[in-house]
Amino acid sequence: MKGKKYALLDTDFISKTYFIHDNAGKHLTDMILEMPMYTFFCHQKVVEELTRHNQDAIGWLNQKIQDGSVQCFSDGDILKELIKIRGDFACAAYTQMLKAACDAFSKSYFRDHYNTLNIFDYLNAALPDYQKALQQADEEIGKHSSIGEIKSYVLLQLLALFNGEQVYVFCSDDKVARNGAISFENVRCISAVSSFLRLKKELLWTWDEAQPYIDSFVDFCEEHKQQTFKVIEASDVARVKRVPCRQVLEEIFDDRFIDLQNGFLKYRPNVEMQ
């Protein structure tokens, strides 16, 4: 798999970038999938969340899963891969990964929602018993407790085992979600905003090619009452400043930014506009 780049798509990223498009209706998500050498993944919980909250985007995602552009992993799929690596210790390994995923989100999350897995009989119980216990815990959590992000963090760890190198997480603008992702080693976050810089690097995206998507993104932000993006000043202190949405997107193509590990854009030294 040398040269491959493993990338994880989360619910919020797909939901937002689906509505950003060019004049012909080609989605920003489609442009992301065109980046060379990337293999894209999502967790089944992302599919379930989009099914509930974004009927437009779920149609797009289901089609991409069907044609192989995005590989969707369920917990069962993850356990099958762990069996290849960890053998009889696959269930215990999954629990360790789940706890790490929960801790990245909240130190109390695992204790509050998955404590039954701490007392599970890993030595004597069969795989279906573990899957049943895991599913029951998931169902008790419900639909609105960031379970999609938690399960995505589990898949993230599996991808890191596959790859042994950096994993790219196309994630939401939520600071907690980004910080949770980069708490794992060799992870780089890409937000909807910084994806424009990524496309400029990976597809050699020109201003003319990007302009319809910039217009669409600005319209999307205005519809949601958002006037600015948060970016980082060109200083050692890493102060955050708010800059008008269109200005940020246009300045990406003036080479004014670098992208940080957490997905934020930072002004290059000596080019920051006052």
Side-chain angles (χ1 to χ4, degrees):
M1 303 299 288
K2 187 175 179 59
K4 288 281 187 181
K5 298 178 180 179
Y6 284 7
L8 186 63
L9 299 170
D10 85 354
T11 306
D12 288 345
F13 184 88
I14 296 172
S15 187
K16 176 179 287 187
T17 55
Y18 175 84
F19 290 111
I20 302 168
H21 53 78
D22 67 5
N23 297 329
K26 187 173 184 178
H27 310 288
L28 184 62
T29 43
D30 291 313
M31 298 302 302
I32 297 295
L33 295 189
E34 289 183 9
M35 295 194 303
M37 302 306 293
Y38 283 79
T39 304
F40 291 91
F41 298 83
C42 73
H43 194 279
Q44 178 62 32
K45 287 296 181 184
V46 170
V47 176
E48 294 174 13
E49 289 180 340
L50 282 176
T51 300
R52 290 194 298 269
H53 303 302
N54 193 327
Q55 287 298 310
D56 295 307
I58 189 55
W60 176 89
L61 180 58
N62 281 331
Q63 179 59 45
K64 297 306 177 182
I65 292 171
Q66 184 176 347
D67 67 23
S69 300
V70 177
Q71 298 183 37
C72 180
F73 271 63
S74 66
D75 285 337
D77 295 325
I78 294 173
L79 282 164
K80 288 178 183 178
E81 295 299 326
L82 287 175
I83 289 171
K84 298 175 185 178
I85 304 169
R86 301 290 189 250
D88 293 340
F89 298 99
C91 294
Y94 183 97
T95 297
Q96 290 178 341
M97 293 164 65
L98 179 60
K99 186 177 186 307
C102 292
D103 289 349
F105 186 78
S106 166
K107 294 301 181 182
S108 65
Y109 197 103
F110 186 86
R111 181 192 66 229
D112 293 342
H113 299 295
Y114 291 106
N115 200 44
T116 55
L117 298 182
N118 274 330
I119 58 175
F120 186 80
D121 187 355
Y122 291 98
L123 292 178
N124 299 308
L127 176 62
D129 297 323
Y130 179 79
Q131 290 178 293
K132 183 178 179 180
L134 179 60
Q135 182 179 353
Q136 183 175 348
D138 287 346
E139 290 174 353
E140 290 176 357
I141 291 173
K143 301 176 181 178
H144 304 290
S145 298
S146 304
I147 191 170
E149 291 173 346
I150 297 297
K151 293 305 180 84
S152 291
Y153 292 166
V154 175
L155 179 54
L156 183 160
Q157 294 172 77
L158 183 70
L159 296 181
L161 284 175
F162 282 168
N163 197 26
E165 297 181 7
Q166 186 162 260
V167 176
Y168 298 84
V169 180
F170 290 79
C171 60
S172 72
D173 293 328
D174 181 70
K175 184 177 180 180
V176 174
R178 293 197 209 182
N179 288 341
I182 64 171
S183 68
F184 298 97
E185 292 185 4
N186 297 324
V187 171
R188 175 171 287 273
C189 288
I190 301 172
S191 69
V193 179
S194 63
S195 69
F196 279 74
L197 180 54
R198 181 62 48 174
L199 287 164
K200 182 175 179 291
K201 292 177 180 179
E202 303 281 357
L203 290 182
L204 303 179
W205 224 18
T206 65
W207 162 256
D208 288 340
E209 292 169 328
Q211 186 173 9
Y213 292 93
I214 291 175
D215 292 340
S216 179
F217 199 174
V218 172
D219 289 343
F220 178 89
C221 291
E222 289 178 350
E223 289 173 9
H224 291 81
K225 312 301 181 184
Q226 181 177 356
Q227 302 297 320
T228 61
F229 293 135
K230 291 180 180 179
V231 297
I232 309 299
E233 293 182 355
S235 65
D236 295 334
V237 181
R239 288 188 297 266
V240 175
K241 66 184 298 183
R242 290 184 176 273
V243 178
C245 296
R246 182 176 293 277
Q247 179 180 329
V248 171
L249 294 168
E250 292 179 349
E251 287 180 343
I252 288 173
F253 293 87
D254 292 331
D255 293 323
R256 293 184 175 273
F257 290 108
I258 59 173
D259 54 334
L260 304 180
Q261 183 186 5
N262 63 2
F264 277 96
L265 296 177
K266 180 178 180 178
Y267 277 106
R268 294 181 183 276
N270 303 320
V271 301
E272 184 173 350
M273 294 184 69
Q274 303 299 324

